[in-house]
Amino acid sequence: MSIESELRKDGINVIMPLDTLSVNTIARDTAEKLCKAFPEQNFIFQNLFIALSRIPMYIADIPKGFAEATYFYKNSSMYFKNGLSLDEQEKFAVHEFIHYLQEIKDKKGHLIRLGLCDFDDIKVCGMGLNEGAVQLMASKAIGSEEEIVKYYGISLPTTSPNYYPILCNLVSQMAYVTGTETLYDSTFYGSDSFKKRFSELCGLNNFLKIQNNLDKILNIEEKAIILNNKLMEDSCEGMKAQKIARKVEQYKEKIKTLYFNTQDLIYSSYFNLQFNKISTTADIDDYRLRLYNYKNYIGISENYSTFNEFYINKMIELDNKYESIMNNTSLVVANNSKVFKFLRKIKSLLFGASDYNVK
C-alpha cells in the first residue's frame, strides 16, 4: 500500500507542501520551546533546529475531532490541518515533533519503539501512556496553565484541556509518584527507567494494568470521535442517528469507568506499598504530606468518594502507626472517641478542599 493510500485510510488527504519560510519558522519556534522547557535534556538548539527543519511538512484535510497536526512515521513527514494559522501550526507542531524525536527504528526502517510505546509483530503496547506523556510535555513546552475541565462526567485538573485531557491527567498522577524527570527521559529516548521506577513504587503488575487501561481509553476515545463525526453527516438521521448516539454514550461510560479504576489503582498501589516502609515519625510526616497533596491531581464525579475514603482510612492508620513508633509497641487501635474526632476533622478538611469550580 502506498503512503498516499495509507494516509487516505486515516482520513488524511494531502493538499500541498508547506512553504520553506513557514517550515523554518515552525522548526525554530519548536526548537526554542523544547530547549527552554527541558534544559536537563541538554538539547543543542542549532542541531535540533536543523533536524526539525528537514522534516517534510504538508497542508492536508484531516478529519474533525482528530489532532490538528500529525506526524506520520512511515515517511517521517508532518501534516497540518488545512486552515490553521502559522501560530496554530507552531502550537500543534510541538507534540508531533516530540514524536519525531522519540522514533527508534530497526535497520530496515521499521518502527520498533516510540518513547513509552513498544511496537512488535503481535501487539502495540503503551500508546495511551505515550500519547498522554507527550501531550503533557507539549503543554509544558508551550506554557499551558492548569485548569479544571469536565469530560464524561469527570471534573479533573489538566494542562491540556482540549487534547487527551483524560490521559494527561492520569499520566500526571503517575508522574507524581515517580517524579517528572524519569518520565521525560523515557518519553524522549524510549528507555525503561519510567516503567522500572513506577514498578518499584507500585508493582509491575499494577503498571501493566494501568498501561493497558490507558490503551483502552485511547482506543475507545478514537472510536467515539469517529461515531461523533458520523452523527454530523447530513445522511445520519432517524433511527440510525439514535443508534449511533447510544453507542457514543456507552463509550463515554466505559471511559469514565476505566478512568476511575485506573486512578484508584495508581494511588492505592503506591500509598499502600509505601505505607509498609514507614519506620519513623519523619516518614509519617512525609507520607501524610504526599497523600494530602495527591488530592490536587485527582478527578472527581458526582458520586465518587473512593479517594476520600482511602484518605480517611490512611490517616487513621498513620495515627496508629505514630503511637506505635512513639511507644515502641505493636500497632493498637485508637479508642472510639479519638477515631470519631479525627474522622470528623479529616472529613471536614478533605471534602471542603475537593470541591472544584467546574467551568
Side-chain angles (χ1 to χ4, degrees):
M1 184 182 294
S2 68
I3 293 297
E4 290 76 13
S5 297
E6 291 199 42
L7 288 169
R8 284 195 297 270
K9 185 180 178 181
D10 291 336
I12 300 173
N13 294 297
V14 179
I15 297 175
M16 62 181 181
L18 197 61
D19 64 274
T20 303
L21 179 59
S22 295
V23 168
N24 289 336
T25 301
I26 293 169
R28 183 179 296 105
D29 178 79
T30 303
E32 289 175 349
K33 283 183 169 66
L34 292 178
C35 288
K36 182 178 180 180
F38 305 102
E40 70 281 357
Q41 300 301 326
N42 297 313
F43 290 129
I44 299 175
F45 169 78
Q46 191 63 23
N47 293 347
L48 193 57
F49 164 69
I50 292 173
L52 299 180
S53 65
R54 290 175 176 172
I55 299 174
M57 303 183 199
Y58 300 90
I59 302 296
D61 287 325
I62 298 177
K64 185 177 181 180
F66 287 90
E68 307 295 301
T70 185
Y71 177 73
F72 197 63
Y73 70 88
K74 291 187 177 181
N75 65 348
S76 300
S77 297
M78 179 88 70
Y79 300 89
F80 293 99
K81 180 178 286 188
N82 187 28
L84 295 180
S85 67
L86 181 58
D87 286 344
E88 290 172 323
Q89 290 170 345
E90 289 175 347
K91 175 183 176 182
F92 298 124
V94 178
H95 180 110
E96 305 308 322
F97 278 142
I98 294 175
H99 279 324
Y100 164 76
L101 296 172
Q102 289 183 311
E103 282 186 335
I104 299 176
K105 295 182 177 180
D106 61 20
K107 293 180 179 179
K108 295 182 179 180
H110 298 144
L111 187 66
I112 58 176
R113 191 171 178 91
L114 191 69
L116 301 166
C117 179
D118 283 317
F119 289 76
D120 58 41
D121 296 332
I122 301 175
K123 187 179 180 181
V124 177
C125 297
M127 183 63 79
L129 174 59
N130 191 62
E131 287 295 342
V134 169
Q135 185 54 34
L136 269 182
M137 293 163 66
S139 296
K140 175 180 172 63
I142 65 177
S144 297
E145 298 289 336
E146 182 177 273
E147 56 184 287
I148 305 299
V149 297
K150 190 169 186 177
Y151 283 94
Y152 316 120
I154 309 166
S155 299
L156 53 87
T158 181
T159 55
S160 181
N162 298 315
Y163 299 95
Y164 301 123
I166 297 290
L167 293 175
C168 286
N169 172 266
L170 291 171
V171 175
S172 69
Q173 293 188 42
M174 297 177 75
Y176 180 80
V177 169
T178 63
T180 56
E181 184 175 346
T182 184
L183 175 67
Y184 297 160
D185 183 73
S186 288
T187 303
F188 271 125
Y189 303 111
S191 73
D192 285 330
S193 58
F194 176 74
K195 176 181 178 179
K196 289 179 179 178
R197 182 57 178 159
F198 190 88
S199 297
E200 288 172 359
L201 296 169
C202 301
L204 176 59
N205 287 337
N206 291 323
F207 171 83
L208 295 175
K209 289 177 184 177
I210 292 164
Q211 177 182 254
N212 187 47
N213 282 355
L214 296 178
D215 283 343
K216 288 179 180 178
I217 290 172
L218 178 63
N219 181 260
I220 295 172
E221 283 197 300
E222 289 178 349
K223 289 180 179 179
I225 289 171
I226 292 172
L227 288 183
N228 269 323
N229 287 342
K230 288 185 177 180
L231 280 175
M232 301 299 291
E233 296 174 358
D234 293 336
S235 59
C236 186
E237 54 186 13
M239 293 298 294
K240 180 180 179 182
Q242 293 178 24
K243 183 178 179 180
I244 292 176
R246 284 196 298 270
K247 190 65 177 178
V248 170
E249 288 304 313
Q250 290 174 4
Y251 282 149
K252 290 180 179 180
E253 283 301 313
K254 285 183 180 180
I255 292 171
K256 183 177 181 180
T257 299
L258 279 167
Y259 173 84
F260 282 116
N261 287 344
T262 306
Q263 173 173 273
D264 293 342
L265 183 55
I266 294 171
Y267 70 72
S268 64
S269 61
Y270 172 64
F271 286 107
N272 282 336
L273 188 59
Q274 299 313 303
F275 186 86
N276 296 329
K277 299 179 181 180
I278 293 174
S279 60
T280 68
T281 56
D283 292 339
I284 290 177
D285 291 338
D286 291 341
Y287 183 100
R288 192 192 309 275
L289 183 61
R290 290 282 290 171
L291 181 55
Y292 178 78
N293 287 337
Y294 197 90
K295 67 181 175 56
N296 297 320
Y297 291 78
I298 68 167
I300 61 174
S301 65
E302 185 177 353
N303 297 314
Y304 177 76
S305 60
T306 311
F307 178 77
N308 290 335
E309 293 166 1
F310 181 88
Y311 183 96
I312 291 168
N313 289 333
K314 276 290 176 279
M315 289 300 106
I316 294 173
E317 291 178 23
L318 283 175
D319 192 53
N320 291 333
K321 177 79 77 171
Y322 179 84
E323 289 189 4
S324 175
I325 292 173
M326 295 302 293
N327 298 326
N328 195 25
T329 62
S330 60
L331 293 179
V332 294
V333 180
N335 62 63
N336 289 335
S337 61
K338 185 174 184 179
V339 170
F340 177 77
K341 292 178 182 178
F342 185 75
L343 203 61
R344 185 174 57 185
K345 180 180 179 182
I346 294 300
K347 280 185 177 181
S348 174
L349 174 65
L350 187 62
F351 282 87
S354 297
D355 292 333
Y356 291 145
N357 293 319
V358 181
K359 299 194 321 183

